[in-house]
Amino acid sequence: MLFHVRMDVKLPRDLSAEEAVEILAREKAYSQDLQKSGKWRHIWRIAGQYANVSIFDVTDNAELHEILSGLPLFKFMDIEVMPLVRHPSAVRGDDS
């Protein structure tokens, strides 16, 4: 199943520089592993915001929830999820 996910990050002002560096490194490694596995299909930064739009390709809602709640930055995020279904007017049978 494909999901469109918007993630807005709101780091707390009192987060120390050391904590921020550590959590951001874990977030990058986690997300890149998921991208390499094909679960996190696409990621785009939203210009001018600490936010991204991503496409996930997972088995079901439960798997997506597990992945998102495992994000090191999860507790600092507002997340919006939209399930996707291929449009009948699409000229391609895949997302190329």
Side-chain angles (χ1 to χ4, degrees):
M1 293 180 69
L2 294 177
F3 291 88
H4 170 281
V5 179
R6 178 181 171 137
M7 294 176 250
D8 292 273
V9 180
K10 296 178 178 152
L11 292 176
R13 293 184 186 268
D14 61 348
L15 189 68
S16 74
E18 295 82 20
E19 289 174 302
V21 166
E22 186 272 332
I23 198 168
L24 292 173
R26 287 191 296 120
E27 182 81 10
K28 183 176 183 176
Y30 183 80
S31 70
Q32 288 182 341
D33 285 345
L34 287 164
Q35 289 173 64
K36 290 172 186 170
S37 78
K39 298 287 183 184
W40 197 322
R41 180 88 58 96
H42 301 282
I43 183 170
W44 295 275
R45 173 66 46 121
I46 299 174
Q49 299 179 34
Y50 195 175
N52 73 73
V53 171
S54 295
I55 302 296
F56 286 84
D57 188 357
V58 294
T59 306
D60 54 24
N61 295 335
E63 183 180 16
L64 180 64
H65 179 76
E66 182 180 329
I67 286 170
L68 295 177
S69 62
L71 289 164
L73 289 173
F74 179 75
K75 64 184 177 182
F76 305 124
M77 291 180 169
D78 290 330
I79 299 174
E80 180 183 348
V81 175
M82 290 181 273
L84 300 174
V85 177
R86 178 129 340 261
H87 195 283
S89 296
V91 297
R92 292 183 183 84
D94 60 14
D95 64 353
S96 63

Coordinates of all heavy atoms in Angstrom, one line a residue:
M1 N 0.8 -1.2 0.0 CA 0.0 0.0 0.0 C 0.9 1.2 0.0 O 1.9 1.3 0.7 CB -0.9 0.0 1.3 CG -1.9 -1.0 1.3 SD -2.9 -0.9 2.8 CE -3.9 0.6 2.5
L2 N 0.5 2.2 -0.8 CA 1.2 3.5 -0.8 C 0.5 4.5 0.1 O -0.7 4.6 0.1 CB 1.3 4.0 -2.2 CG 2.1 3.2 -3.3 CD1 2.0 3.8 -4.6 CD2 3.5 3.0 -2.8
F3 N 1.4 5.3 0.8 CA 0.9 6.3 1.7 C 1.7 7.6 1.4 O 2.9 7.6 1.3 CB 1.1 6.0 3.1 CG 0.2 4.8 3.6 CD1 0.6 3.5 3.5 CD2 -1.1 5.1 4.1 CE1 -0.2 2.5 3.9 CE2 -1.9 4.1 4.6 CZ -1.5 2.8 4.4
H4 N 1.0 8.7 1.3 CA 1.6 10.1 1.3 C 1.6 10.5 2.7 O 0.6 10.5 3.4 CB 0.7 11.0 0.5 CG 1.0 12.4 0.5 ND1 0.6 13.2 1.6 CD2 1.6 13.2 -0.3 CE1 1.0 14.5 1.3 NE2 1.6 14.5 0.2
V5 N 2.8 10.9 3.2 CA 3.0 11.3 4.6 C 3.7 12.6 4.7 O 4.8 12.8 4.1 CB 3.8 10.2 5.4 CG1 4.0 10.7 6.8 CG2 3.1 8.9 5.3
R6 N 3.1 13.6 5.3 CA 3.7 14.9 5.6 C 4.2 14.9 7.0 O 3.4 14.6 8.0 CB 2.8 16.0 5.4 CG 3.4 17.4 5.7 CD 2.6 18.5 5.5 NE 3.2 19.7 6.0 CZ 3.3 20.9 5.4 NH1 2.7 21.1 4.3 NH2 3.9 21.9 6.0
M7 N 5.4 15.2 7.2 CA 6.0 15.3 8.6 C 6.5 16.7 8.8 O 7.4 17.2 8.1 CB 7.1 14.3 8.7 CG 6.7 12.9 8.6 SD 8.1 11.7 8.7 CE 8.0 11.1 7.0
D8 N 6.0 17.4 9.8 CA 6.5 18.7 10.3 C 7.2 18.5 11.6 O 6.7 18.0 12.5 CB 5.3 19.7 10.5 CG 4.6 20.0 9.2 OD1 5.1 20.9 8.5 OD2 3.7 19.3 8.8
V9 N 8.5 18.9 11.6 CA 9.4 18.7 12.8 C 9.4 20.0 13.6 O 9.6 21.1 13.1 CB 10.8 18.4 12.4 CG1 11.7 18.1 13.6 CG2 10.8 17.1 11.5
K10 N 9.2 19.8 14.9 CA 9.2 21.0 15.9 C 10.1 20.6 17.0 O 9.7 20.1 18.0 CB 7.8 21.3 16.3 CG 6.9 21.8 15.2 CD 5.5 22.0 15.7 CE 4.8 22.5 14.5 NZ 3.4 22.3 14.5
L11 N 11.4 20.8 16.8 CA 12.4 20.5 17.9 C 12.2 21.5 19.1 O 12.0 22.7 18.8 CB 13.8 20.7 17.4 CG 14.3 19.6 16.4 CD1 15.7 19.9 16.0 CD2 14.2 18.2 17.0
P12 N 12.2 21.0 20.3 CA 12.1 22.0 21.4 C 13.3 22.9 21.6 O 14.4 22.5 21.3 CB 12.0 21.0 22.7 CG 12.4 19.7 22.2 CD 12.4 19.7 20.7
R13 N 13.0 24.1 22.0 CA 14.0 25.1 22.1 C 15.1 24.8 23.1 O 16.2 25.2 23.1 CB 13.4 26.5 22.4 CG 12.6 27.1 21.3 CD 12.1 28.4 21.7 NE 11.2 28.9 20.7 CZ 11.5 29.7 19.7 NH1 12.8 30.0 19.5 NH2 10.6 30.1 18.8
D14 N 14.7 24.0 24.1 CA 15.6 23.6 25.2 C 16.4 22.3 24.9 O 17.2 21.9 25.8 CB 14.9 23.5 26.5 CG 13.8 22.4 26.5 OD1 13.5 21.9 25.5 OD2 13.3 22.1 27.6
L15 N 16.3 21.8 23.7 CA 17.1 20.6 23.3 C 18.5 21.1 23.2 O 18.8 22.0 22.4 CB 16.5 20.0 22.0 CG 17.1 18.7 21.6 CD1 16.7 17.6 22.6 CD2 16.6 18.4 20.2
S16 N 19.4 20.4 23.9 CA 20.8 20.8 23.8 C 21.4 20.5 22.4 O 20.9 19.6 21.7 CB 21.7 20.1 24.8 OG 21.8 18.7 24.5
A17 N 22.5 21.2 22.0 CA 23.1 21.0 20.7 C 23.6 19.5 20.6 O 23.4 18.9 19.5 CB 24.3 21.9 20.6
E18 N 24.1 19.0 21.7 CA 24.6 17.6 21.6 C 23.4 16.6 21.4 O 23.6 15.7 20.6 CB 25.3 17.2 22.9 CG 26.6 18.0 23.2 CD 26.3 19.4 23.8 OE1 25.2 19.6 24.4 OE2 27.2 20.2 23.7
E19 N 22.3 16.8 22.1 CA 21.2 15.9 21.9 C 20.6 16.1 20.5 O 20.2 15.1 19.9 CB 20.1 16.3 22.9 CG 20.3 16.0 24.3 CD 19.3 16.5 25.3 OE1 19.1 17.7 25.3 OE2 18.7 15.7 26.0
A20 N 20.6 17.3 20.0 CA 20.1 17.5 18.6 C 21.0 16.8 17.6 O 20.4 16.1 16.7 CB 20.0 19.0 18.3
V21 N 22.3 16.9 17.7 CA 23.2 16.2 16.8 C 23.0 14.7 16.8 O 22.9 14.0 15.8 CB 24.7 16.6 17.1 CG1 25.6 15.6 16.4 CG2 24.9 18.0 16.7
E22 N 22.8 14.1 18.0 CA 22.7 12.7 18.2 C 21.4 12.2 17.6 O 21.3 11.2 16.9 CB 22.8 12.4 19.7 CG 22.8 10.9 20.0 CD 21.4 10.3 20.2 OE1 20.5 11.1 20.6 OE2 21.2 9.1 19.9
I23 N 20.3 12.9 17.9 CA 19.0 12.4 17.5 C 18.8 12.6 15.9 O 18.3 11.7 15.3 CB 17.8 13.1 18.2 CG1 16.5 12.3 18.0 CG2 17.6 14.6 17.8 CD1 15.4 12.8 19.0
L24 N 19.4 13.6 15.4 CA 19.4 13.9 13.9 C 20.2 12.8 13.2 O 19.8 12.3 12.1 CB 19.9 15.3 13.6 CG 18.9 16.4 14.0 CD1 19.5 17.8 13.8 CD2 17.6 16.3 13.3
A25 N 21.3 12.4 13.8 CA 22.1 11.3 13.2 C 21.3 10.0 13.2 O 21.4 9.2 12.2 CB 23.4 11.1 13.9
R26 N 20.7 9.7 14.3 CA 19.9 8.5 14.3 C 18.7 8.5 13.4 O 18.4 7.5 12.7 CB 19.3 8.2 15.8 CG 20.4 7.8 16.7 CD 19.8 7.3 18.1 NE 19.2 8.3 18.8 CZ 17.9 8.3 19.2 NH1 17.1 7.3 18.9 NH2 17.4 9.3 19.9
E27 N 18.1 9.7 13.2 CA 17.0 9.9 12.3 C 17.4 9.6 10.9 O 16.8 8.9 10.1 CB 16.4 11.3 12.4 CG 15.2 11.6 11.6 CD 13.9 11.1 12.1 OE1 13.8 10.6 13.3 OE2 12.9 11.1 11.3
K28 N 18.6 10.2 10.5 CA 19.1 10.0 9.1 C 19.4 8.6 8.9 O 19.0 8.1 7.8 CB 20.4 10.9 9.0 CG 20.9 10.8 7.6 CD 22.1 11.8 7.4 CE 22.7 11.8 6.0 NZ 23.8 12.7 5.9
A29 N 20.0 7.9 9.8 CA 20.4 6.5 9.6 C 19.1 5.6 9.4 O 19.0 4.8 8.5 CB 21.2 5.9 10.7
Y30 N 18.1 5.8 10.3 CA 16.9 5.1 10.3 C 16.1 5.3 8.9 O 15.7 4.4 8.3 CB 16.0 5.6 11.4 CG 14.7 4.8 11.6 CD1 14.6 3.6 12.2 CD2 13.5 5.4 11.2 CE1 13.4 2.9 12.4 CE2 12.3 4.8 11.4 CZ 12.2 3.5 12.0 OH 11.0 2.9 12.2
S31 N 16.0 6.6 8.5 CA 15.3 6.9 7.3 C 16.0 6.3 6.1 O 15.4 5.8 5.1 CB 15.0 8.4 7.1 OG 16.2 9.1 6.9
Q32 N 17.4 6.4 6.1 CA 18.1 5.9 4.9 C 18.0 4.4 4.8 O 18.0 3.8 3.7 CB 19.6 6.4 4.9 CG 19.6 7.9 4.6 CD 21.0 8.4 4.6 OE1 22.0 7.8 5.1 NE2 21.2 9.6 3.9
D33 N 18.0 3.7 5.9 CA 17.8 2.2 5.9 C 16.5 1.9 5.3 O 16.4 1.0 4.5 CB 17.9 1.6 7.3 CG 19.4 1.6 7.8 OD1 20.3 1.7 7.0 OD2 19.5 1.4 9.0
L34 N 15.4 2.6 5.7 CA 14.1 2.4 5.1 C 14.0 2.7 3.7 O 13.3 2.0 2.9 CB 13.0 3.2 5.9 CG 12.8 2.6 7.3 CD1 12.0 3.7 8.1 CD2 11.9 1.4 7.2
Q35 N 14.8 3.8 3.2 CA 14.8 4.1 1.8 C 15.5 3.0 1.0 O 15.0 2.6 -0.1 CB 15.5 5.4 1.6 CG 14.7 6.6 2.1 CD 15.5 7.9 2.0 OE1 15.9 8.3 0.9 NE2 15.8 8.5 3.2
K36 N 16.6 2.5 1.5 CA 17.3 1.4 0.9 C 16.5 0.1 0.8 O 16.6 -0.6 -0.2 CB 18.6 1.1 1.6 CG 19.6 2.2 1.4 CD 20.9 2.0 2.3 CE 21.8 3.2 2.2 NZ 22.8 3.2 3.2
S37 N 15.6 -0.1 1.8 CA 14.8 -1.3 1.8 C 13.6 -1.2 0.8 O 12.9 -2.2 0.5 CB 14.2 -1.6 3.2 OG 13.2 -0.7 3.5
G38 N 13.3 0.1 0.4 CA 12.2 0.3 -0.5 C 10.9 0.7 0.2 O 9.9 1.0 -0.4
K39 N 10.9 0.6 1.5 CA 9.7 1.0 2.3 C 9.4 2.5 2.3 O 8.3 2.9 2.2 CB 9.8 0.5 3.8 CG 10.0 -0.9 4.0 CD 8.7 -1.7 3.8 CE 8.8 -3.1 4.1 NZ 7.6 -3.8 3.8
W40 N 10.5 3.3 2.3 CA 10.4 4.7 2.2 C 10.8 5.1 0.8 O 11.9 5.2 0.5 CB 11.3 5.4 3.2 CG 11.1 6.8 3.5 CD1 10.6 7.8 2.7 CD2 11.2 7.5 4.8 NE1 10.5 9.0 3.3 CE2 10.9 8.8 4.6 CE3 11.6 7.0 6.1 CZ2 11.0 9.7 5.7 CZ3 11.7 7.9 7.1 CH2 11.4 9.3 6.9
R41 N 9.7 5.1 -0.1 CA 10.0 5.2 -1.5 C 10.5 6.5 -2.0 O 11.4 6.6 -2.8 CB 8.6 4.9 -2.2 CG 8.7 4.9 -3.7 CD 9.0 3.6 -4.3 NE 8.2 2.5 -4.0 CZ 7.2 2.0 -4.7 NH1 6.8 2.7 -5.8 NH2 6.5 1.0 -4.4
H42 N 10.0 7.6 -1.5 CA 10.4 9.0 -1.9 C 10.4 9.9 -0.6 O 9.6 9.7 0.3 CB 9.4 9.6 -2.9 CG 9.3 8.8 -4.2 ND1 10.3 8.8 -5.1 CD2 8.4 7.9 -4.6 CE1 9.9 8.0 -6.1 NE2 8.8 7.4 -5.8
I43 N 11.3 10.9 -0.7 CA 11.2 11.9 0.4 C 11.6 13.3 -0.3 O 12.6 13.3 -1.1 CB 12.2 11.6 1.5 CG1 12.1 12.7 2.6 CG2 13.6 11.4 1.1 CD1 12.8 12.3 3.9
W44 N 10.8 14.3 0.0 CA 11.1 15.6 -0.5 C 11.0 16.6 0.6 O 10.1 16.6 1.4 CB 10.1 16.1 -1.6 CG 10.1 15.2 -2.8 CD1 10.9 15.4 -3.9 CD2 9.3 14.1 -3.1 NE1 10.7 14.5 -4.8 CE2 9.7 13.7 -4.4 CE3 8.3 13.5 -2.4 CZ2 9.1 12.6 -5.0 CZ3 7.7 12.4 -3.0 CH2 8.1 11.9 -4.3
R45 N 12.0 17.5 0.7 CA 11.9 18.6 1.7 C 10.9 19.6 1.2 O 10.8 19.9 0.0 CB 13.3 19.3 1.7 CG 13.5 20.5 2.6 CD 13.3 20.3 4.0 NE 13.9 19.2 4.6 CZ 14.8 19.2 5.5 NH1 15.2 20.4 6.1 NH2 15.4 18.1 6.0
I46 N 10.2 20.2 2.1 CA 9.3 21.3 1.7 C 10.1 22.6 1.9 O 10.6 22.9 3.0 CB 8.0 21.3 2.6 CG1 7.2 20.0 2.4 CG2 7.1 22.5 2.3 CD1 6.1 19.9 3.3
A47 N 10.3 23.3 0.8 CA 11.1 24.5 0.8 C 10.7 25.5 1.9 O 9.5 25.8 2.0 CB 11.1 25.2 -0.6
G48 N 11.7 26.0 2.6 CA 11.4 27.0 3.6 C 10.8 26.5 4.9 O 10.5 27.3 5.8
Q49 N 10.7 25.2 5.1 CA 10.1 24.6 6.3 C 10.9 23.5 6.8 O 11.7 22.9 6.0 CB 8.7 24.1 6.0 CG 7.7 25.2 5.5 CD 6.3 24.6 5.3 OE1 5.9 23.7 5.9 NE2 5.7 25.2 4.2
Y50 N 10.8 23.2 8.1 CA 11.4 22.0 8.6 C 10.4 20.9 8.5 O 9.8 20.5 9.5 CB 11.9 22.2 10.0 CG 12.9 21.1 10.5 CD1 13.5 21.2 11.8 CD2 13.2 20.0 9.8 CE1 14.4 20.3 12.2 CE2 14.1 19.1 10.2 CZ 14.7 19.2 11.5 OH 15.6 18.2 11.9
A51 N 10.1 20.4 7.3 CA 9.1 19.5 7.0 C 9.4 18.7 5.7 O 10.3 19.2 4.9 CB 7.8 20.2 6.8
N52 N 8.8 17.6 5.6 CA 9.0 16.8 4.3 C 7.7 16.2 3.9 O 6.7 16.0 4.7 CB 10.1 15.8 4.5 CG 9.7 14.6 5.3 OD1 8.9 13.7 4.9 ND2 10.3 14.5 6.5
V53 N 7.6 15.8 2.7 CA 6.5 15.0 2.1 C 7.2 13.7 1.6 O 8.2 13.7 0.9 CB 5.8 15.7 1.0 CG1 4.9 14.7 0.3 CG2 5.1 16.9 1.4
S54 N 6.7 12.6 2.1 CA 7.3 11.3 1.7 C 6.2 10.3 1.2 O 5.0 10.5 1.5 CB 7.9 10.7 3.0 OG 9.0 11.5 3.4
I55 N 6.7 9.3 0.4 CA 5.8 8.2 0.0 C 6.4 6.9 0.6 O 7.6 6.6 0.4 CB 5.8 8.1 -1.6 CG1 5.3 9.4 -2.2 CG2 4.9 6.9 -2.0 CD1 3.9 9.8 -1.9
F56 N 5.5 6.2 1.3 CA 5.9 4.9 1.9 C 5.1 3.8 1.1 O 4.0 4.0 0.7 CB 5.5 4.9 3.3 CG 6.3 5.7 4.2 CD1 6.1 7.1 4.4 CD2 7.4 5.2 4.9 CE1 6.9 7.9 5.2 CE2 8.2 5.9 5.7 CZ 8.0 7.3 5.9
D57 N 5.8 2.7 0.9 CA 5.3 1.5 0.3 C 5.4 0.4 1.3 O 6.4 -0.2 1.5 CB 6.0 1.2 -1.0 CG 5.4 0.1 -1.8 OD1 4.4 -0.5 -1.4 OD2 6.0 -0.2 -2.9
V58 N 4.3 0.2 2.0 CA 4.2 -0.8 3.1 C 3.0 -1.7 3.0 O 2.2 -1.5 2.1 CB 4.1 -0.1 4.5 CG1 5.4 0.7 4.7 CG2 2.9 0.8 4.6
T59 N 3.0 -2.8 3.8 CA 2.0 -3.8 3.7 C 0.6 -3.3 4.1 O -0.4 -3.6 3.5 CB 2.4 -5.0 4.6 OG1 3.7 -5.5 4.2 CG2 1.4 -6.1 4.4
D60 N 0.6 -2.5 5.2 CA -0.7 -2.1 5.7 C -0.5 -0.9 6.7 O 0.6 -0.4 6.9 CB -1.4 -3.2 6.4 CG -0.6 -3.9 7.5 OD1 0.3 -3.3 8.1 OD2 -0.9 -5.1 7.8
N61 N -1.6 -0.4 7.3 CA -1.6 0.7 8.2 C -0.7 0.4 9.4 O 0.0 1.3 9.9 CB -3.0 1.0 8.7 CG -3.9 1.5 7.6 OD1 -3.5 2.0 6.6 ND2 -5.2 1.2 7.8
A62 N -0.8 -0.8 9.9 CA 0.0 -1.2 11.1 C 1.5 -1.1 10.8 O 2.2 -0.6 11.7 CB -0.4 -2.6 11.5
E63 N 1.9 -1.5 9.7 CA 3.4 -1.4 9.3 C 3.8 0.0 9.2 O 4.8 0.4 9.7 CB 3.7 -2.1 8.1 CG 5.2 -2.1 7.8 CD 5.6 -2.8 6.5 OE1 4.7 -3.1 5.6 OE2 6.8 -3.1 6.3
L64 N 3.0 0.9 8.6 CA 3.3 2.3 8.5 C 3.4 2.9 9.9 O 4.3 3.7 10.2 CB 2.2 3.0 7.7 CG 2.5 4.5 7.6 CD1 3.8 4.8 6.8 CD2 1.3 5.2 6.9
H65 N 2.4 2.6 10.8 CA 2.4 3.1 12.1 C 3.7 2.7 12.9 O 4.3 3.5 13.6 CB 1.2 2.6 12.9 CG 1.2 3.1 14.3 ND1 0.9 4.4 14.6 CD2 1.5 2.5 15.5 CE1 1.0 4.6 15.9 NE2 1.3 3.5 16.5
E66 N 4.1 1.4 12.7 CA 5.3 0.9 13.4 C 6.5 1.7 12.9 O 7.4 2.1 13.7 CB 5.5 -0.5 13.1 CG 6.7 -1.2 13.8 CD 6.8 -2.7 13.5 OE1 5.8 -3.3 13.3 OE2 8.0 -3.1 13.4
I67 N 6.6 1.9 11.6 CA 7.8 2.7 11.0 C 7.8 4.1 11.5 O 8.8 4.6 12.0 CB 7.7 2.6 9.5 CG1 8.1 1.3 9.0 CG2 8.6 3.7 8.9 CD1 7.8 1.0 7.5
L68 N 6.6 4.8 11.4 CA 6.6 6.2 11.8 C 6.8 6.4 13.3 O 7.6 7.3 13.7 CB 5.2 6.8 11.5 CG 4.9 6.9 10.0 CD1 3.5 7.5 9.8 CD2 6.0 7.8 9.3
S69 N 6.3 5.5 14.2 CA 6.5 5.6 15.6 C 7.9 5.3 16.0 O 8.4 5.6 17.1 CB 5.5 4.8 16.4 OG 5.6 3.4 16.1
G70 N 8.6 4.6 15.1 CA 10.0 4.3 15.4 C 11.0 5.4 15.0 O 12.2 5.3 15.3
L71 N 10.5 6.4 14.3 CA 11.4 7.6 14.0 C 11.9 8.2 15.3 O 11.2 8.5 16.2 CB 10.6 8.6 13.2 CG 10.2 8.2 11.8 CD1 9.1 9.2 11.2 CD2 11.4 8.3 10.9
P72 N 13.2 8.4 15.3 CA 13.8 9.1 16.5 C 13.2 10.5 16.8 O 13.1 10.9 17.9 CB 15.3 9.2 16.2 CG 15.5 8.0 15.3 CD 14.3 7.9 14.5
L73 N 12.8 11.2 15.7 CA 12.1 12.5 15.9 C 10.6 12.4 16.1 O 10.0 13.4 16.1 CB 12.4 13.4 14.7 CG 13.9 13.9 14.5 CD1 14.1 14.6 13.2 CD2 14.2 14.8 15.7
F74 N 10.0 11.2 16.1 CA 8.6 11.0 16.2 C 7.9 11.9 17.2 O 6.9 12.6 16.9 CB 8.2 9.6 16.5 CG 6.8 9.3 16.5 CD1 6.0 9.3 15.4 CD2 6.2 9.1 17.8 CE1 4.6 9.0 15.5 CE2 4.8 8.8 17.9 CZ 4.0 8.8 16.7
K75 N 8.5 12.0 18.4 CA 7.8 12.8 19.5 C 7.9 14.3 19.2 O 7.2 15.1 19.9 CB 8.4 12.5 20.8 CG 9.9 12.8 21.0 CD 10.3 12.4 22.4 CE 11.8 12.7 22.6 NZ 12.3 12.2 23.9
F76 N 8.7 14.7 18.2 CA 8.8 16.1 17.9 C 8.1 16.4 16.5 O 8.3 17.5 16.0 CB 10.2 16.5 17.8 CG 11.0 16.2 19.0 CD1 12.2 15.5 18.9 CD2 10.7 16.7 20.2 CE1 13.0 15.2 20.0 CE2 11.4 16.4 21.4 CZ 12.6 15.7 21.2
M77 N 7.2 15.5 16.1 CA 6.6 15.7 14.7 C 5.1 15.8 14.8 O 4.5 15.2 15.7 CB 6.9 14.5 13.9 CG 8.3 14.3 13.4 SD 8.5 12.9 12.4 CE 10.1 13.1 11.7
D78 N 4.6 16.6 13.9 CA 3.1 16.5 13.5 C 3.1 15.8 12.2 O 3.8 16.2 11.3 CB 2.6 17.9 13.4 CG 2.4 18.7 14.7 OD1 2.3 18.0 15.7 OD2 2.5 19.9 14.6
I79 N 2.3 14.7 12.2 CA 2.3 13.8 11.0 C 0.9 13.7 10.4 O 0.0 13.5 11.2 CB 2.9 12.4 11.4 CG1 4.3 12.5 11.8 CG2 2.7 11.5 10.2 CD1 4.9 11.2 12.4
E80 N 0.8 13.9 9.1 CA -0.4 13.7 8.4 C -0.3 12.6 7.4 O 0.6 12.6 6.6 CB -0.8 15.0 7.7 CG -2.1 14.9 6.9 CD -2.4 16.2 6.2 OE1 -1.7 17.2 6.4 OE2 -3.3 16.2 5.4
V81 N -1.2 11.6 7.4 CA -1.1 10.4 6.6 C -2.3 10.4 5.6 O -3.4 10.6 6.1 CB -1.0 9.1 7.4 CG1 -1.1 7.9 6.5 CG2 0.2 9.1 8.3
M82 N -2.0 10.1 4.3 CA -3.1 9.9 3.4 C -2.8 8.7 2.6 O -1.8 8.6 1.9 CB -3.1 11.1 2.4 CG -3.6 12.4 3.0 SD -3.7 13.8 1.9 CE -2.0 14.4 2.0
P83 N -3.7 7.7 2.6 CA -3.6 6.5 1.8 C -3.8 6.8 0.3 O -4.6 7.7 0.0 CB -4.7 5.5 2.3 CG -5.3 6.2 3.4 CD -4.9 7.6 3.5
L84 N -3.0 6.2 -0.5 CA -3.1 6.5 -2.0 C -3.6 5.2 -2.7 O -3.3 4.1 -2.4 CB -1.7 6.8 -2.5 CG -1.0 8.1 -1.9 CD1 0.4 8.2 -2.4 CD2 -1.8 9.3 -2.2
V85 N -4.4 5.5 -3.8 CA -4.9 4.5 -4.7 C -4.6 5.0 -6.1 O -4.9 6.2 -6.4 CB -6.4 4.3 -4.5 CG1 -7.0 3.3 -5.4 CG2 -6.7 3.8 -3.0
R86 N -4.2 4.1 -7.0 CA -3.9 4.5 -8.4 C -5.2 5.1 -9.0 O -6.3 4.6 -8.8 CB -3.5 3.3 -9.2 CG -3.2 3.7 -10.6 CD -1.9 3.3 -11.2 NE -0.8 3.0 -10.3 CZ 0.2 3.9 -10.0 NH1 0.2 5.1 -10.5 NH2 1.2 3.5 -9.2
H87 N -5.0 6.3 -9.6 CA -6.1 6.9 -10.3 C -6.5 6.2 -11.6 O -5.5 5.8 -12.3 CB -5.7 8.4 -10.6 CG -6.9 9.3 -10.9 ND1 -7.5 9.2 -12.2 CD2 -7.6 10.2 -10.2 CE1 -8.5 10.1 -12.2 NE2 -8.6 10.7 -11.0
P88 N -7.7 6.0 -11.9 CA -8.1 5.3 -13.2 C -7.6 6.0 -14.4 O -7.6 5.4 -15.5 CB -9.6 5.2 -13.1 CG -10.0 6.2 -12.1 CD -8.9 6.4 -11.2
S89 N -7.3 7.3 -14.4 CA -6.9 8.0 -15.6 C -5.4 8.0 -15.7 O -4.8 8.6 -16.7 CB -7.4 9.4 -15.6 OG -8.8 9.5 -15.6
A90 N -4.6 7.3 -14.8 CA -3.2 7.3 -14.9 C -2.7 6.6 -16.1 O -3.3 5.6 -16.5 CB -2.6 6.6 -13.6
V91 N -1.7 7.1 -16.8 CA -1.2 6.5 -18.0 C -0.2 5.5 -17.8 O 0.2 4.7 -18.7 CB -0.7 7.6 -19.0 CG1 -1.8 8.5 -19.5 CG2 0.5 8.4 -18.4
R92 N 0.3 5.4 -16.6 CA 1.3 4.4 -16.2 C 0.8 3.4 -15.1 O 0.0 3.9 -14.3 CB 2.6 5.0 -15.7 CG 3.3 5.8 -16.8 CD 4.7 6.4 -16.2 NE 5.3 7.2 -17.2 CZ 5.0 8.5 -17.4 NH1 4.1 9.1 -16.8 NH2 5.7 9.1 -18.4
G93 N 1.2 2.2 -15.2 CA 0.7 1.3 -14.2 C 1.6 1.2 -12.9 O 1.3 0.5 -12.0
D94 N 2.6 2.1 -12.9 CA 3.4 2.2 -11.7 C 3.7 3.6 -11.4 O 3.0 4.5 -11.9 CB 4.8 1.4 -11.9 CG 5.6 2.0 -13.1 OD1 5.3 3.1 -13.6 OD2 6.5 1.3 -13.5
D95 N 4.6 3.9 -10.5 CA 4.8 5.3 -10.1 C 6.1 5.9 -10.7 O 6.7 6.8 -10.2 CB 4.8 5.5 -8.6 CG 6.0 4.8 -7.9 OD1 6.7 4.0 -8.6 OD2 6.2 5.0 -6.7
S96 N 6.4 5.4 -11.9 CA 7.6 6.0 -12.6 C 7.3 7.3 -13.2 O 6.2 7.7 -13.4 CB 8.1 5.0 -13.6 OG 7.1 4.8 -14.6

